[in-house]
Amino acid sequence: MNALPRPGVRFRLSAAIAVLFVLILLVSIIGMRVLTRTELWMNTLHQDTLTEVSDALDLSRRASDLATSAPFLYALFPPFQLEQEAQNVLDNLHQIEAHAAGDPVLDLPLARLRLAIDDLTQALVPQTARKAELAAIDHDMLRLNQRVRRLAADVTLPLEERELWAGLQQLTITAIGAGRADALIALGAFSNRYAVARDRLLPRLQPAQQASFAEIQQAIRRGPGLFVLKHQDLAARLDAENALFRIRRETSRITTYAEDKVAQAEARLSLARAETSDNLVFAKNSFLAFTLASLLVAVTSVLYVSRYLARNLHRIADAMRKLAAGDRGADLPAVRPADDEIGQLFAAFHVFRENARKLDRRTGQIRQQNALFSRVFRNIKDGVAITSADGRIAVENDNLRALLRLPPGVTDAGNGVHDLIAQSGFARQASAGERGGFEEYGDASGNVLEMRHSPLPDGGAVWLFSETTERKKVEERLEEIRRVETLGKVSGEVAHDFGNILSSISGNLHLLEGADPANAQHFRGRIRSAVDLGVSLTERLLAFARKQYLEPQVTDLGVLTDGMSDLLEMALPDTVSLTFVWDGTPVLARVDPGQLESALLNLCVNASQAISGAGDITLRVVAAEDGGAMLSVQDTGCGMTAEVQRRAVEPFYTNRDDGTGTGLGLSMVDGFVHQSGGQLGITSHSAGPDRGTTVTMRFPPVTESAPDPARIGASGVALVVDDDAGSLAAAADALENLGYRVRRAASFAEGMAQLEQEKLTLILSDLNLDSGASGWDILQHGADLHPDAGLVLVSTREAHRTPTALRDVAQLATLTKPVTEAMMRDLLVTW
């Protein structure tokens, strides 16, 4: 009997593959059933649990929101805000009730919560009217208190009458205390004290005090009366606080209930997780058993699979040779032999082929990018230059020289960017540190460029020039808007201060009418003090507004500061030492010496007030890098916080603990420095080894010499139009001293008539003329009749918007009053 034939390789491989297929199929079926069942169970459980947890968390969140928003009602006093916020709280409560619908556990807490909210609203609604009444009574009491206190302190009155006025003062003080009491016990004490004082004083009142007593009583009895209103106010506060306590308590209960719901849901999730874990353990064991069986079959099959390696390696080597030779169409059979090393080589070949194709495409993209970069470099509106490591310009686009306004024939000079800028009409206005990484350049026509350079890895750099003239104009307009906002605040403060000054003058004038000669001198002294205070305030405001009249001259800051040392040492306390640092080299600036001395004294006094106990103040005079001058005042005082430093130069802002000071000190210094063309810098630290403040005044370089009278060339006929006789005379005298023959016009009609009488060299007109006429009309008509004449507009304010018809006039200027000979001389030199 012949033996059975041995199965061939194909049969054995097919059998092994079949066994593996069956095992994999069994594993897949078991895994799918277990995972599907687990997934369905977990989805159902998660959906139910997450819904419950979401509702509970939402209920807790809304309860917390209600507990947070309810106390906000306590701080609202306008009725419309209170009603609106109360409605928001009730809406929140309605949403909580909607979430808690069908849950009897929350019925009682929600009912109590609604009752507490109603009690809180009812307690707070009448508070606005009561507080308004109490504020009115308090205002009247303060006014009456000031009156009777002044009379009680008047030493010219008899002692008995002064005692009666002091009694009325005691009544007003008791009423003020009652209106500001914060407890019912204190209110009762003030009420009893008022009644006792009133009853004791009433029989002794004289006719002079009856009217004031009647006003006090009338103010006390406003509405229900001071003591009744205050009692109702304090009682309402207690009711509101009780309601807030109940709201917090009930919302806490609701939150606790929601947390219990979440805990229960977490417990159910834990139970489901344990059941799911058991199912997964069973699935893992099944997977492990079938995996071991599959491994046995796979090891047996490897012995036969290895026989096909040589043929497949030959295929792969042949395809790789073709690919290396540049044949991107070389390929292998689409079906890979297996997911082993041969299969990986097949995959690697396809990856290499795709990478070669991508490299070809990438090379084409780089060529396109180079072409795109070239178009951008040539067509960008900004000026671009690329410099090498030695600083020479390697390449530049066409817009660079156009932005710099360079003519076509200009050479590269030193072949550097700064050399190119030096040949243009632009000069640097701000460094990169001042402009956040940009350098700003401007020319005489008002054009502004921003320059920024970025270093390259090879040591070169890319330079970018951008036209920012229009943006600069927008920024200046925004700055004007901010100055207008500041002016509104300044106007209110000035009105308040001048109101006090005028009240003082008016009161003393009234007293002066019936005063005897002995007291008249005293009242005149008060009036004189009020006038001096007004003059001082006006000078400070002019300095802040940068409109004070300055007489700048070239001044050595070191010599000026050294000459003030004795004065400064006398002005400082004995505990503060003064140090002056200056190397003796002349440090020149064009400033008004008197105003600079005032600013320096102001800064030193401020610095000494910031030092408690012993300390040092250092004055330092140095020359700036750009040729300008710097004068700094450094102290070892308490320093400034960031907020105080931000508002340091704000008008009427003072940070003194006693509340004294006008708040115009640093504002005046800042205004003077900016009016002189400089900048004021403040650095301060409130802690650490650098504790203290440094205030630095920076002034621009002195580049121009004093005007030469021979260069002025003032001649011909000048017309001055002003409806104010004093201003007209001052401007006319100034022009006559400069050599003009002056024609004067005191009205708009007279000025228009004189424009047509003879040829004029200069026309100067006030902005606001009689009958609402404008000086611009005078200048425009004068420009039509006398095209070569210089035009000057004067006003008490700064420069105004120039009419379109006059914008092309070369010799056109605006000045602020008063017009002086020095102002006109400087203007004529520039023309």
Side-chain angles (χ1 to χ4, degrees), residues 5-28:
R6 185 176 180 181
V9 173
R10 180 175 296 178
F11 175 81
R12 293 185 181 184
L13 288 175
S14 300
I17 294 173
V19 172
L20 286 174
F21 175 78
V22 172
L23 293 174
I24 294 172
L25 183 61
L26 289 175
V27 171
S28 301

Side-chain angles (χ1 to χ4, degrees), residues 456-477:
L456 296 176
D458 60 354
V462 177
W463 303 77
L464 183 67
F465 289 80
S466 302
E467 179 79 43
T468 59
T469 304
E470 293 300 324
R471 191 184 74 189
K472 195 71 175 178
K473 293 179 180 178
V474 172
E475 290 177 353
E476 292 174 354
R477 179 58 179 164

